[in-house]
Amino acid sequence: MDREGGEEMGAHDHRFACVRLVPIFAGLSEADQHLIAETARTQHFEAHDQVYGAGERTGLHIVHHGQVKAYRLTEAGTEQLVRLLYPGDFLGEAALLADTVSDHFAVATQPSEVCFVPRAGVRRLLVERPTVALQMLQTVSARLGAAEELLAAVTGRSVGQRLAQQLLHLADEAGSPRFRLPTSKKDLASYLGTTPETLSRRLAALQEAQVIRSGPQRTIEILDRVRLHGLASEV
């Protein structure tokens, strides 16, 4: 194999590894996964680079390395964090199911590598492989449910309750009472529907009450999970 052919094979293998990260493609044969990889292309972004913007027609964006945040702009021009994406997470599936444009922005929060699969290739796959379409619909439904839960929490719970619930969720994700906040306090405040100042006061109050301990580099340790769960559940 010549050098150029070897480089192309290496690039394909790299895209193939990216495609295999996505749960909706897990049920496909390896041959079909290779077909998707052939249509994909790798994109590199530095921190704060925009992956795509609101109003754009997007394809499927798969985070291979790094971290990407999706957010909307409020009428006041402030960011409302929708969610954070890590390796294996993806964006753009809603635009593939309906011929619409994006209603949010996606920005890299750190140096990131994203695999982009054009909508034409994925939509053709959805027609040929109904099981993939079903998996994608299930993913969209799960995200819609999570969005509805967040909306209910923002409108029906206090900031303290929302914060306590989020800290418990992050600890469960980490599998440890000690974890690192995955984003800045500004973004976390946006996600919880509050201000950075209010969030800082709430965190300080939890630390003073010895419910949590804050450390360097956004580390948090839950010292009293029972009390924190009580704060999240109180009416």
Side-chain angles (χ1 to χ4, degrees):
M1 181 182 295
D2 60 26
R3 179 178 178 181
E4 184 176 346
E7 290 177 349
E8 176 57 32
M9 180 62 71
H12 175 86
D13 289 345
H14 191 72
R15 297 192 301 268
F16 175 67
C18 185
V19 167
R20 294 192 71 177
L21 287 172
V22 184
I24 60 173
F25 297 143
L28 294 179
S29 68
E30 187 169 308
D32 285 337
Q33 291 174 341
H34 277 294
L35 286 175
I36 297 172
E38 286 179 5
T39 69
R41 68 173 185 263
T42 302
Q43 301 173 315
H44 296 274
F45 300 95
E46 296 300 322
H48 311 302
D49 283 353
Q50 182 172 286
V51 179
Y52 61 81
E56 294 184 22
R57 294 186 180 277
T58 66
L60 195 67
H61 291 80
I62 308 163
V63 179
H64 197 191
H65 297 297
Q67 184 186 77
V68 173
K69 72 174 180 180
Y71 68 92
R72 294 185 178 92
L73 288 179
T74 67
E75 292 183 0
T78 58
E79 293 184 9
Q80 174 62 57
L81 184 68
V82 177
R83 66 192 186 96
L84 291 171
L85 296 103
Y86 304 92
D89 289 336
F90 55 94
L91 281 165
E93 72 285 353
L96 297 173
L97 297 171
D99 192 17
T100 58
V101 297
S102 172
D103 63 351
H104 61 271
F105 297 82
V107 172
T109 59
Q110 57 185 251
S112 302
E113 181 181 279
V114 177
C115 296
F116 173 70
V117 184
R119 64 163 53 200
V122 178
R123 296 188 78 163
R124 183 169 58 252
L125 177 70
L126 296 180
V127 173
E128 297 173 354
R129 301 288 190 275
T131 54
V132 178
L134 179 60
Q135 288 174 304
M136 190 171 285
L137 282 171
Q138 290 172 338
T139 300
V140 174
S141 296
R143 290 184 179 174
L144 179 59
E148 289 176 344
E149 287 181 7
L150 177 61
L151 179 61
V154 169
T155 57
R157 294 187 175 187
S158 68
V159 174
Q161 289 173 310
R162 299 198 296 273
L163 174 59
Q165 184 180 43
Q166 183 65 11
L167 293 176
L168 290 168
H169 172 70
L170 291 172
D172 289 343
E173 278 196 336
S176 168
R178 190 173 188 275
F179 55 91
R180 184 173 181 268
L181 291 178
T183 185
S184 67
K185 289 183 179 179
K186 176 184 176 182
D187 281 341
L188 178 58
S190 170
Y191 184 69
L192 296 176
T194 187
T195 64
E197 294 77 16
T198 298
L199 176 64
S200 293
R201 287 196 297 269
R202 294 290 182 173
L203 287 170
L206 289 174
Q207 178 159 282
E208 186 176 346
Q210 297 185 340
V211 176
I212 67 168
R213 178 188 294 122
S214 296
Q217 298 183 331
R218 302 200 304 261
T219 57
I220 298 288
E221 182 178 2
I222 296 177
L223 303 176
D224 193 333
R225 185 180 176 92
V226 173
R227 287 177 65 191
L228 191 62
H229 189 273
L231 290 171
S233 306
E234 68 183 10
V235 180

